[in-house]
Amino acid sequence: MPVQLILDDDGGISLPLDGITQEAWLLQRERATHAGAADGFRERLAQCFAISLIECLDPDLKPPTEAQLKYATAIARELGISLPSEALRYRGPMAEFIDRFADAMRQRRRSYLKSDSP
């Protein structure tokens, strides 16, 4: 029995499972059904697929990293500019925002250090 991931109305993708994995999948599904835990198994499976799907995206479409979010927030606060919503959603626009304003951020911090020096 081939396993297919249904994406939308356009169809699905056949998952290339080897025989052992396919057998284990059927055993897991049967085990969850007999234990009355099919809903919990479906929730766990959905979470695993969601995480895996993120890893399949092009790098610029992945969510920004925590480090990017922290640095970009500091830049926006320090320079008094807004952080674009696209940058908060996607790593590519986030990297562009950081690249665009990182030099200004460094210059501002250097000027603070110079003004604090005796």
Side-chain angles (χ1 to χ4, degrees):
M1 167 181 96
V3 176
Q4 239 192 351
L5 177 62
I6 304 300
L7 298 174
D8 50 35
D9 293 339
D10 291 335
I13 298 171
S14 292
L15 302 178
L17 301 179
D18 61 46
I20 294 171
T21 304
Q22 193 166 355
E23 181 181 344
W25 160 253
L26 292 171
L27 288 170
Q28 178 68 64
R29 194 176 72 181
E30 185 178 319
R31 178 185 293 169
T33 300
H34 283 68
D39 288 341
F41 176 62
R42 278 194 281 281
E43 287 176 26
R44 189 174 85 210
L45 188 60
Q47 289 297 320
C48 289
F49 272 113
I51 291 166
S52 295
L53 180 60
I54 290 170
E55 291 306 312
C56 295
L57 296 172
D58 289 342
D60 63 316
L61 296 176
K62 291 182 180 184
T65 66
E66 286 297 317
Q68 284 179 314
L69 287 167
K70 185 177 177 181
Y71 189 48
T73 302
I75 289 172
R77 183 175 40 250
E78 186 80 25
L79 299 179
I81 57 177
S82 62
L83 191 52
S85 62
E86 288 289 304
L88 293 170
R89 294 187 353 219
Y90 303 114
R91 199 174 289 179
M94 176 62 80
E96 290 169 6
F97 176 85
I98 291 171
D99 289 346
R100 182 174 177 196
F101 294 105
D103 283 340
M105 174 76 157
R106 284 190 286 273
Q107 288 174 357
R108 171 126 345 155
R109 287 187 173 174
R110 277 189 222 122
S111 70
Y112 287 153
L113 292 174
K114 287 181 184 177
S115 66
D116 288 343
S117 300

